[in-house]
């Protein structure tokens, strides 16, 4: 059974193009319900993998899409969508069971993928007795703030 990677992608482009992407994602979500399986846009070869599962949007969001993939993010597939519609994107992804946490950015036809590596995850510790995380001399109730801090540091140093 696959571990599920959570993905959030924000497309950036002309409103009428974002509307087309919104229709694409809505269609894929409907097809997933009918077929009970992951989806790809019809202009992307099934050989690529990177299927979209559990695709959804919060009401009112037009350019933010959330979905899951098996094991790892589907950055290459999202890039193909962006290239097809001539838009940019920012994709945040995480699957902590496999120590995957990062952000891919596609702008001006250039893809940048910055992610945490094993040594980044070793920079903080979990204290079972106090049920807290310790990072840079501070206590945290959750590791999410730490992970975001570590990723932001990597992005700033890139």
């Amino acid at each position: 059974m696959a571990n599920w990677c959570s993905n959030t992608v924000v497309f950036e482009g002309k409103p009428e193009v974002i509307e087309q992407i919104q229709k694409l994602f809505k269609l894929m979500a409907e097809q997933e319900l009918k077929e009970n399986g992951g989806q790809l846009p019809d202009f992307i070869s099934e050989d690529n993998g990177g299927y979209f599962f559990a695709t959804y949007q919060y009401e009112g969001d037009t350019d933010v899409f959330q979905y899951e993939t098996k094991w790892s993010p589907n950055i290459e597939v999202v890039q193909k969508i962006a290239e097809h519609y001539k838009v940019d994107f920012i994709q945040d992804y995480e699957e902590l069971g496999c120590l995957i946490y990062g952000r891919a950015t596609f702008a001006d036809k250039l893809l940048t993928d910055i992610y945490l590596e094993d040594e980044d995850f070793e920079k903080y510790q979990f204290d079972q007795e106090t049920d807290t995380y310790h990072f840079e001399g501070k206590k945290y109730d959750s590791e999410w703030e730490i992970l975001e801090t570590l990723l932001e540091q990597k992005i700033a140093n890139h």
Side-chain angles (χ1 to χ4, degrees), residues 66-127:
Q66 297 182 323
Y67 60 93
E68 294 184 346
T69 51
K70 290 183 178 183
W71 302 108
S72 61
N74 61 347
I75 298 166
E76 292 175 4
V77 173
V78 176
Q79 181 178 348
K80 288 183 185 304
I81 293 170
E83 290 169 342
H84 181 83
Y85 288 101
K86 296 178 178 54
V87 296
D88 295 337
F89 70 84
I90 297 171
Q91 179 179 1
D92 290 311
Y93 56 87
E94 61 92 2
E95 199 294 284
L96 295 184
C98 294
L99 299 180
I100 294 174
Y101 191 89
R103 176 174 296 148
T105 305
F106 184 71
D108 299 322
K109 300 180 182 180
L110 177 66
L111 178 68
T112 305
D113 184 17
I114 300 174
Y115 51 88
L116 299 183
E117 299 181 57
D118 291 345
E119 56 266 16
D120 296 311
F121 287 96
E122 294 169 4
K123 292 180 180 178
Y124 66 94
Q125 297 77 37
F126 179 68
D127 184 340

